[in-house]
Short mmCIF file of all heavy atoms in Angstrom, two decimals:
data_model
loop_
_atom_site.label_atom_id
_atom_site.label_comp_id
_atom_site.label_asym_id
_atom_site.label_seq_id
_atom_site.Cartn_x
_atom_site.Cartn_y
_atom_site.Cartn_z
N ILE I 1 5.17 1.92 2.82
CA ILE I 1 5.88 1.50 1.62
C ILE I 1 7.28 2.14 1.63
O ILE I 1 7.40 3.36 1.67
CB ILE I 1 5.11 1.89 0.33
CG1 ILE I 1 3.68 1.32 0.37
CG2 ILE I 1 5.87 1.43 -0.89
CD1 ILE I 1 3.60 -0.20 0.41
N ASP I 2 8.27 1.28 1.57
CA ASP I 2 9.68 1.74 1.49
C ASP I 2 10.32 1.23 0.20
O ASP I 2 9.89 0.20 -0.34
CB ASP I 2 10.48 1.24 2.70
CG ASP I 2 10.02 1.88 4.00
OD1 ASP I 2 9.75 3.11 3.99
OD2 ASP I 2 9.91 1.17 5.02
N GLN I 3 11.35 1.92 -0.22
CA GLN I 3 12.16 1.46 -1.36
C GLN I 3 13.17 0.44 -0.89
O GLN I 3 13.28 0.16 0.32
CB GLN I 3 12.88 2.70 -1.97
CG GLN I 3 11.86 3.74 -2.45
CD GLN I 3 12.53 4.95 -3.05
OE1 GLN I 3 12.67 5.01 -4.24
NE2 GLN I 3 12.94 5.89 -2.20
N PHE I 4 13.91 -0.13 -1.82
CA PHE I 4 14.88 -1.20 -1.48
C PHE I 4 15.92 -0.70 -0.47
O PHE I 4 16.38 -1.49 0.37
CB PHE I 4 15.59 -1.69 -2.73
CG PHE I 4 14.72 -2.55 -3.61
CD1 PHE I 4 14.35 -2.12 -4.86
CD2 PHE I 4 14.24 -3.78 -3.16
CE1 PHE I 4 13.56 -2.91 -5.69
CE2 PHE I 4 13.44 -4.56 -3.95
CZ PHE I 4 13.09 -4.14 -5.22
N ASP I 5 16.27 0.58 -0.53
CA ASP I 5 17.30 1.09 0.39
C ASP I 5 16.71 1.48 1.76
O ASP I 5 17.43 2.01 2.61
CB ASP I 5 18.05 2.28 -0.23
CG ASP I 5 17.15 3.48 -0.47
OD1 ASP I 5 15.96 3.45 -0.12
OD2 ASP I 5 17.66 4.48 -1.03
N GLY I 6 15.42 1.25 1.97
CA GLY I 6 14.81 1.54 3.26
C GLY I 6 14.22 2.94 3.37
O GLY I 6 13.58 3.24 4.38
N THR I 7 14.38 3.78 2.39
CA THR I 7 13.80 5.11 2.43
C THR I 7 12.34 5.03 1.96
O THR I 7 11.97 4.17 1.16
CB THR I 7 14.58 6.12 1.53
OG1 THR I 7 14.56 5.63 0.19
CG2 THR I 7 16.01 6.26 2.02
N PRO I 8 11.49 5.95 2.45
CA PRO I 8 10.09 5.93 2.03
C PRO I 8 9.94 6.14 0.53
O PRO I 8 10.66 6.93 -0.08
CB PRO I 8 9.48 7.11 2.79
CG PRO I 8 10.38 7.32 3.96
CD PRO I 8 11.75 6.96 3.47
N MET I 9 9.04 5.38 -0.08
CA MET I 9 8.80 5.48 -1.52
C MET I 9 7.85 6.64 -1.81
O MET I 9 6.78 6.70 -1.21
CB MET I 9 8.16 4.18 -2.04
CG MET I 9 7.79 4.26 -3.52
SD MET I 9 7.00 2.74 -4.11
CE MET I 9 8.41 1.74 -4.40
N PRO I 10 8.22 7.55 -2.68
CA PRO I 10 7.29 8.63 -3.07
C PRO I 10 6.09 8.02 -3.82
O PRO I 10 6.25 7.30 -4.80
CB PRO I 10 8.11 9.52 -4.00
CG PRO I 10 9.52 9.10 -3.86
CD PRO I 10 9.51 7.70 -3.36
N LEU I 11 4.89 8.29 -3.36
CA LEU I 11 3.68 7.69 -3.92
C LEU I 11 2.74 8.68 -4.66
O LEU I 11 1.81 8.28 -5.31
CB LEU I 11 2.84 6.99 -2.81
CG LEU I 11 3.55 5.89 -2.03
CD1 LEU I 11 2.68 5.44 -0.86
CD2 LEU I 11 3.88 4.73 -2.94
N ASN I 12 3.01 9.98 -4.50
CA ASN I 12 2.05 11.01 -4.94
C ASN I 12 1.69 10.95 -6.41
O ASN I 12 0.56 11.21 -6.79
CB ASN I 12 2.56 12.40 -4.59
CG ASN I 12 2.49 12.62 -3.10
OD1 ASN I 12 1.74 11.99 -2.40
ND2 ASN I 12 3.34 13.50 -2.61
N ASP I 13 2.59 10.60 -7.31
CA ASP I 13 2.30 10.63 -8.73
C ASP I 13 1.99 9.23 -9.31
O ASP I 13 2.06 9.03 -10.52
CB ASP I 13 3.46 11.26 -9.51
CG ASP I 13 3.64 12.72 -9.14
OD1 ASP I 13 2.61 13.39 -8.89
OD2 ASP I 13 4.79 13.20 -9.11
N LEU I 14 1.69 8.30 -8.42
CA LEU I 14 1.44 6.92 -8.87
C LEU I 14 -0.02 6.55 -8.72
O LEU I 14 -0.70 7.02 -7.80
CB LEU I 14 2.27 5.93 -8.02
CG LEU I 14 3.79 6.08 -8.07
CD1 LEU I 14 4.41 5.10 -7.07
CD2 LEU I 14 4.30 5.85 -9.45
N GLY I 15 -0.51 5.69 -9.62
CA GLY I 15 -1.80 5.04 -9.39
C GLY I 15 -1.57 3.93 -8.36
O GLY I 15 -0.53 3.28 -8.39
N LEU I 16 -2.47 3.77 -7.43
CA LEU I 16 -2.34 2.78 -6.36
C LEU I 16 -3.55 1.90 -6.29
O LEU I 16 -4.70 2.37 -6.40
CB LEU I 16 -2.15 3.49 -4.99
CG LEU I 16 -1.09 4.56 -4.92
CD1 LEU I 16 -1.16 5.29 -3.56
CD2 LEU I 16 0.30 3.98 -5.14
N ARG I 17 -3.33 0.60 -6.07
CA ARG I 17 -4.48 -0.29 -5.92
C ARG I 17 -4.07 -1.55 -5.14
O ARG I 17 -2.91 -1.92 -5.11
CB ARG I 17 -5.08 -0.70 -7.27
CG ARG I 17 -4.25 -1.59 -8.12
CD ARG I 17 -4.92 -1.83 -9.47
NE ARG I 17 -4.22 -2.85 -10.24
CZ ARG I 17 -4.63 -3.24 -11.44
NH1 ARG I 17 -5.70 -2.70 -12.01
NH2 ARG I 17 -3.98 -4.19 -12.09
N LEU I 18 -5.09 -2.15 -4.54
CA LEU I 18 -4.98 -3.40 -3.87
C LEU I 18 -5.71 -4.45 -4.73
O LEU I 18 -6.86 -4.23 -5.10
CB LEU I 18 -5.63 -3.35 -2.47
CG LEU I 18 -5.74 -4.65 -1.68
CD1 LEU I 18 -4.35 -5.15 -1.30
CD2 LEU I 18 -6.60 -4.44 -0.45
N VAL I 19 -5.02 -5.50 -5.08
CA VAL I 19 -5.61 -6.58 -5.89
C VAL I 19 -5.81 -7.78 -4.97
O VAL I 19 -4.84 -8.28 -4.40
CB VAL I 19 -4.71 -6.93 -7.09
CG1 VAL I 19 -5.34 -8.06 -7.90
CG2 VAL I 19 -4.47 -5.72 -7.96
N ILE I 20 -7.07 -8.22 -4.87
CA ILE I 20 -7.39 -9.40 -4.08
C ILE I 20 -7.72 -10.51 -5.08
O ILE I 20 -8.60 -10.34 -5.94
CB ILE I 20 -8.55 -9.15 -3.12
CG1 ILE I 20 -8.18 -8.00 -2.18
CG2 ILE I 20 -8.92 -10.40 -2.36
CD1 ILE I 20 -9.30 -7.55 -1.29
N TYR I 21 -6.96 -11.61 -4.99
CA TYR I 21 -7.11 -12.70 -5.95
C TYR I 21 -8.23 -13.65 -5.48
O TYR I 21 -8.06 -14.40 -4.52
CB TYR I 21 -5.82 -13.45 -6.11
CG TYR I 21 -4.68 -12.56 -6.59
CD1 TYR I 21 -3.69 -12.13 -5.75
CD2 TYR I 21 -4.66 -12.11 -7.92
CE1 TYR I 21 -2.66 -11.29 -6.18
CE2 TYR I 21 -3.66 -11.28 -8.39
CZ TYR I 21 -2.65 -10.87 -7.51
OH TYR I 21 -1.66 -10.04 -7.95
N LEU I 22 -9.35 -13.56 -6.17
CA LEU I 22 -10.49 -14.45 -5.93
C LEU I 22 -10.38 -15.65 -6.84
O LEU I 22 -9.70 -15.58 -7.86
CB LEU I 22 -11.79 -13.70 -6.18
CG LEU I 22 -12.02 -12.37 -5.45
CD1 LEU I 22 -13.30 -11.72 -5.93
CD2 LEU I 22 -12.03 -12.61 -3.95
N PRO I 23 -11.08 -16.74 -6.52
CA PRO I 23 -11.07 -17.88 -7.48
C PRO I 23 -11.64 -17.43 -8.84
O PRO I 23 -12.79 -17.02 -8.94
CB PRO I 23 -11.97 -18.90 -6.79
CG PRO I 23 -11.96 -18.55 -5.36
CD PRO I 23 -11.83 -17.06 -5.31
N GLY I 24 -10.79 -17.43 -9.86
CA GLY I 24 -11.22 -17.10 -11.21
C GLY I 24 -11.42 -15.63 -11.49
O GLY I 24 -11.91 -15.27 -12.56
N ALA I 25 -11.06 -14.73 -10.57
CA ALA I 25 -11.24 -13.29 -10.79
C ALA I 25 -10.29 -12.49 -9.89
O ALA I 25 -9.62 -13.08 -9.03
CB ALA I 25 -12.70 -12.91 -10.50
N GLU I 26 -10.29 -11.20 -10.11
CA GLU I 26 -9.54 -10.29 -9.24
C GLU I 26 -10.48 -9.20 -8.76
O GLU I 26 -11.30 -8.69 -9.52
CB GLU I 26 -8.38 -9.63 -10.00
CG GLU I 26 -7.30 -10.59 -10.43
CD GLU I 26 -6.23 -9.91 -11.21
OE1 GLU I 26 -6.39 -8.74 -11.66
OE2 GLU I 26 -5.17 -10.54 -11.41
N LEU I 27 -10.38 -8.88 -7.48
CA LEU I 27 -11.11 -7.76 -6.91
C LEU I 27 -10.12 -6.60 -6.78
O LEU I 27 -9.08 -6.75 -6.15
CB LEU I 27 -11.67 -8.14 -5.55
CG LEU I 27 -12.39 -7.08 -4.72
CD1 LEU I 27 -13.60 -6.54 -5.47
CD2 LEU I 27 -12.80 -7.63 -3.37
N ILE I 28 -10.44 -5.48 -7.42
CA ILE I 28 -9.55 -4.32 -7.43
C ILE I 28 -10.10 -3.23 -6.52
O ILE I 28 -11.25 -2.78 -6.72
CB ILE I 28 -9.40 -3.75 -8.87
CG1 ILE I 28 -9.02 -4.83 -9.87
CG2 ILE I 28 -8.44 -2.56 -8.88
CD1 ILE I 28 -7.65 -5.39 -9.71
N ILE I 29 -9.31 -2.77 -5.56
CA ILE I 29 -9.73 -1.68 -4.67
C ILE I 29 -8.76 -0.53 -4.88
O ILE I 29 -7.54 -0.67 -4.63
CB ILE I 29 -9.76 -2.16 -3.21
CG1 ILE I 29 -10.80 -3.30 -3.07
CG2 ILE I 29 -10.09 -0.96 -2.29
CD1 ILE I 29 -10.88 -3.90 -1.73
N PRO I 30 -9.24 0.63 -5.36
CA PRO I 30 -8.35 1.77 -5.60
C PRO I 30 -7.81 2.28 -4.27
O PRO I 30 -8.47 2.19 -3.23
CB PRO I 30 -9.24 2.81 -6.26
CG PRO I 30 -10.60 2.23 -6.38
CD PRO I 30 -10.61 0.89 -5.74
N GLY I 31 -6.62 2.84 -4.34
CA GLY I 31 -5.97 3.35 -3.14
C GLY I 31 -5.58 4.80 -3.26
O GLY I 31 -5.80 5.43 -4.29
N ARG I 32 -5.01 5.30 -2.19
CA ARG I 32 -4.52 6.68 -2.17
C ARG I 32 -3.26 6.73 -1.34
O ARG I 32 -3.03 5.86 -0.49
CB ARG I 32 -5.59 7.62 -1.62
CG ARG I 32 -5.92 7.37 -0.19
CD ARG I 32 -7.06 8.26 0.32
NE ARG I 32 -7.39 7.92 1.68
CZ ARG I 32 -8.11 6.88 2.08
NH1 ARG I 32 -8.60 6.06 1.20
NH2 ARG I 32 -8.35 6.65 3.37
N ALA I 33 -2.47 7.78 -1.55
CA ALA I 33 -1.26 7.98 -0.75
C ALA I 33 -1.61 8.81 0.47
O ALA I 33 -2.34 9.79 0.40
CB ALA I 33 -0.21 8.71 -1.59
N GLU I 34 -1.09 8.40 1.64
CA GLU I 34 -1.26 9.12 2.88
C GLU I 34 0.05 9.14 3.62
O GLU I 34 1.00 8.43 3.25
CB GLU I 34 -2.30 8.45 3.77
CG GLU I 34 -3.72 8.57 3.27
CD GLU I 34 -4.74 8.04 4.28
OE1 GLU I 34 -4.35 7.50 5.34
OE2 GLU I 34 -5.93 8.18 4.01
N SER I 35 0.11 9.92 4.64
CA SER I 35 1.23 9.91 5.56
C SER I 35 0.65 10.10 6.96
O SER I 35 -0.45 10.61 7.12
CB SER I 35 2.26 10.97 5.24
OG SER I 35 1.65 12.26 5.39
N GLY I 36 1.38 9.64 7.94
CA GLY I 36 0.94 9.83 9.33
C GLY I 36 1.07 8.55 10.13
O GLY I 36 1.88 7.69 9.84
N GLU I 37 0.23 8.46 11.16
CA GLU I 37 0.30 7.32 12.07
C GLU I 37 -0.38 6.11 11.47
O GLU I 37 -1.39 6.20 10.78
CB GLU I 37 -0.33 7.68 13.42
CG GLU I 37 0.45 8.69 14.19
CD GLU I 37 -0.08 8.93 15.58
OE1 GLU I 37 -1.24 8.55 15.87
OE2 GLU I 37 0.65 9.50 16.38
N LEU I 38 0.18 4.93 11.78
CA LEU I 38 -0.30 3.68 11.30
C LEU I 38 -0.12 2.62 12.36
O LEU I 38 0.98 2.50 12.93
CB LEU I 38 0.48 3.30 10.01
CG LEU I 38 0.13 2.01 9.32
CD1 LEU I 38 -1.23 2.11 8.63
CD2 LEU I 38 1.20 1.66 8.31
N ALA I 39 -1.21 1.89 12.68
CA ALA I 39 -1.09 0.80 13.65
C ALA I 39 -0.52 -0.43 12.95
O ALA I 39 -0.97 -0.80 11.87
CB ALA I 39 -2.45 0.50 14.25
N THR I 40 0.45 -1.05 13.57
CA THR I 40 1.07 -2.26 13.00
C THR I 40 0.37 -3.50 13.56
O THR I 40 -0.41 -3.42 14.51
CB THR I 40 2.56 -2.30 13.32
OG1 THR I 40 2.73 -2.36 14.74
CG2 THR I 40 3.30 -1.09 12.75
N ASP I 41 0.66 -4.64 12.95
CA ASP I 41 0.04 -5.88 13.37
C ASP I 41 0.34 -6.24 14.82
O ASP I 41 -0.44 -6.92 15.46
CB ASP I 41 0.49 -7.05 12.47
CG ASP I 41 -0.11 -6.93 11.06
OD1 ASP I 41 -1.17 -6.28 10.90
OD2 ASP I 41 0.51 -7.48 10.13
N ASP I 42 1.49 -5.79 15.32
CA ASP I 42 1.86 -6.12 16.70
C ASP I 42 1.37 -5.10 17.72
O ASP I 42 1.74 -5.11 18.87
CB ASP I 42 3.35 -6.34 16.84
CG ASP I 42 4.15 -5.09 16.47
OD1 ASP I 42 3.54 -4.02 16.19
OD2 ASP I 42 5.40 -5.18 16.45
N GLY I 43 0.50 -4.15 17.28
CA GLY I 43 -0.11 -3.19 18.16
C GLY I 43 0.64 -1.90 18.35
O GLY I 43 0.16 -0.99 19.01
N GLN I 44 1.80 -1.77 17.77
CA GLN I 44 2.57 -0.53 17.84
C GLN I 44 1.97 0.48 16.89
O GLN I 44 1.32 0.13 15.92
CB GLN I 44 4.04 -0.76 17.50
CG GLN I 44 4.77 -1.64 18.48
CD GLN I 44 6.23 -1.77 18.08
OE1 GLN I 44 6.65 -1.37 16.97
NE2 GLN I 44 7.01 -2.34 18.95
N VAL I 45 2.22 1.75 17.15
CA VAL I 45 1.83 2.83 16.24
C VAL I 45 3.12 3.48 15.73
O VAL I 45 3.97 3.88 16.49
CB VAL I 45 0.92 3.88 16.96
CG1 VAL I 45 0.62 5.05 16.03
CG2 VAL I 45 -0.35 3.21 17.43
#
């Protein structure tokens, strides 16, 4: 997650969630802030 200017967005004091839009409902998955390595869709880390 980056801000508009391209710098990393501070996440520590925020509530985080993933909302999946189901037909007629929403599935909410709570999240957490992390840092470190992340595999991208193109296989890079």
